[in-house]
Amino acid sequence: MSDFAFRFLKAIGVLCVLNFVAFVVGAIALGGDAISGRSGGGHYYLASHGKLTEVSAAVFTYSRWHILSVFVTHPLAMIIGYVLNRENKARLARGQAGSGSVAASRQSRDREYWGGT
């Protein structure tokens, strides 16, 4: 895997995690999420642990779209984490410093200090 692809996947993974964090913070601030909530008769409710909070149609729609995006980005983050972990292990086995790899940079620094190759 090229360094560009490795860094690109890391950036996408970070965005996926940030999307999840934004959802959790938003659900706490708004009083729940639309998937657990309900709508009817022109009223919209977000739900969290059985407690309903009435919100506007716009907030309800936002909450629904945000949780649907989490249903995509959460598994994507797990897949990216798996792929990056395998790539980092492969880079360590080849003796290349993985992008941000502490173990690889220590190995490289130790080789330089002790005059190894």
Side-chain angles (χ1 to χ4, degrees):
M1 176 183 300
S2 71
D3 280 343
F4 174 77
F6 190 79
R7 289 186 184 123
F8 181 75
L9 283 178
K10 273 181 135 176
I12 297 299
V14 167
L15 290 175
C16 291
V17 170
L18 288 175
N19 186 49
F20 178 73
V21 170
F23 167 73
V24 170
V25 169
I28 291 169
L30 295 173
D33 63 79
I35 294 296
S36 302
R38 61 177 176 238
S39 65
H43 296 276
Y44 301 89
Y45 301 94
L46 302 181
S48 177
H49 303 286
K51 180 181 174 232
L52 296 175
T53 304
E54 188 168 5
V55 296
S56 68
V59 170
F60 187 84
T61 302
Y62 156 76
S63 179
R64 181 172 296 262
W65 279 105
H66 201 162
I67 188 62
L68 292 175
S69 76
V70 169
F71 288 159
V72 173
T73 59
H74 200 69
L76 181 62
M78 289 185 238
I79 292 167
I80 288 173
Y82 175 76
V83 169
L84 291 177
N85 186 37
R86 286 184 53 97
E87 176 63 20
N88 204 35
K89 286 181 181 179
R91 287 177 179 215
L92 286 173
R94 291 190 306 258
Q96 297 175 345
S99 201
S101 170
V102 174
S105 63
R106 284 183 183 155
Q107 288 174 350
S108 176
R109 184 188 68 221
D110 289 347
R111 276 192 299 256
E112 289 175 14
Y113 180 78
W114 295 105
T117 58

